[in-house]
Amino acid sequence: TSTEALKSIVTINPQWLINCLSSVIRDASLHPFEIDEIHNLGLEKDVELLFHQALASRDILEYVWKNEQVDFLLNLMERLMLLSPWGFDKNECYLIPSLLNEKFNGPNSGTRCVFDFSSTFLPNGVFQRLVCFCIAYSGSQSSKLKEPKLFKNCAHVTLEPDLEITLLEETASQCISLFIMEPRFAGKALSIAQSMLHKLNADVMNFGLRWETLLEHINTGHNSNENVFIPYDVARKKSLRPWFGEGLVHRTSGMSNVDPFSFVDSLKD
């Protein structure tokens, strides 16, 4: 269900909405802010935070939206999974993953799952929305978790104590890879990630996303040093460890009838 702010407003001018969103999601090199005005308002650090760390303060959002319908626009962007509250700082701010610019080129380790979209294509924005979900999940934990390390194509996130994951967007192969640091949490991490994908497919993509889930099988034989990837359904039938086993429940429902944050809370049950 929509939030109260969304329910109370009917938008009759779509261009106004587009202008509001593009005033935040913008290329700093092509559409910079007015330097003198930003200086006079004391928002230099807010602008730096926005373009260097993709974190939008409440003050900068009120500025770009001219203090008009701020709560409505925030709720809308949250509902569309364009931003997520940043729960790792005392100050109120929001992560906007599409503003991340630095790419991660280093190696990743851990038990790996691949969400393969190559049968169709991986649309721009899917990875960023998946990151939004993970940040919301991590930031809402009762215990304080370490701050995520975020890049344009990669996110290192601690979802729960001891449950550390890495998400990697691989545009050349049209895939998103999920790496789980501790194999004993592989099944839970997979269930969470799949539920998030199904949710955004239902709410944002109108069920248009198509992907195959491939699970890494550690090859313990002597004839090969390479691990292989097995389709999800085959792995489930074989109860492939560490992805499946006694006590591991995999949920794939997108819960399209609930708002994103109630959905995130439901994943903790």
Side-chain angles (χ1 to χ4, degrees), residues 89-152:
D89 194 288
K90 293 181 180 179
N91 300 317
E92 181 182 3
C93 57
Y94 302 85
L95 173 73
I96 305 177
S98 57
L99 292 179
L100 292 164
N101 292 310
E102 183 182 355
K103 280 199 168 186
F104 179 80
N105 296 312
N108 286 299
S109 60
T111 306
R112 185 182 180 190
C113 161
V114 176
F115 301 111
D116 183 0
F117 297 82
S118 62
S119 64
T120 52
F121 70 103
L122 174 58
N124 185 36
V126 171
F127 174 77
Q128 290 77 13
R129 287 179 167 95
L130 194 55
V131 170
C132 271
F133 268 139
C134 289
I135 295 303
Y137 189 101
S138 178
S140 64
Q141 295 293 325
S142 57
S143 57
K144 190 70 174 179
L145 303 178
K146 66 181 180 181
E147 187 172 308
K149 294 181 180 179
L150 304 175
F151 302 86
K152 183 181 181 68

Side-chain angles (χ1 to χ4, degrees), residues 29-142:
S29 61
L30 298 176
H31 305 286
F33 288 111
E34 176 57 48
I35 296 177
D36 291 338
E37 186 175 9
I38 291 296
H39 174 74
N40 292 336
L41 293 172
L43 293 174
E44 296 101 323
K45 290 184 178 179
D46 300 78
V47 171
E48 182 179 358
L49 192 68
L50 181 67
F51 290 133
H52 288 207
Q53 298 184 47
L55 293 175
S57 67
R58 176 82 184 200
D59 287 341
I60 197 67
L61 293 175
E62 291 177 350
Y63 165 72
V64 297
W65 291 332
K66 300 178 174 54
N67 278 313
E68 296 180 0
Q69 305 298 343
V70 175
D71 288 334
F72 164 77
L73 291 166
L74 270 173
N75 278 301
L76 178 66
M77 290 187 72
E78 289 176 4
R79 181 77 194 207
L80 295 175
M81 301 166 225
L82 295 173
L83 61 70
S84 175
W86 184 253
F88 306 92
D89 194 288
K90 293 181 180 179
N91 300 317
E92 181 182 3
C93 57
Y94 302 85
L95 173 73
I96 305 177
S98 57
L99 292 179
L100 292 164
N101 292 310
E102 183 182 355
K103 280 199 168 186
F104 179 80
N105 296 312
N108 286 299
S109 60
T111 306
R112 185 182 180 190
C113 161
V114 176
F115 301 111
D116 183 0
F117 297 82
S118 62
S119 64
T120 52
F121 70 103
L122 174 58
N124 185 36
V126 171
F127 174 77
Q128 290 77 13
R129 287 179 167 95
L130 194 55
V131 170
C132 271
F133 268 139
C134 289
I135 295 303
Y137 189 101
S138 178
S140 64
Q141 295 293 325
S142 57

Side-chain angles (χ1 to χ4, degrees), residues 63 87 113 169-170 184 228:
Y63 165 72
C113 161
E169 183 181 34
E170 302 169 276
R184 60 194 171 103
V228 296

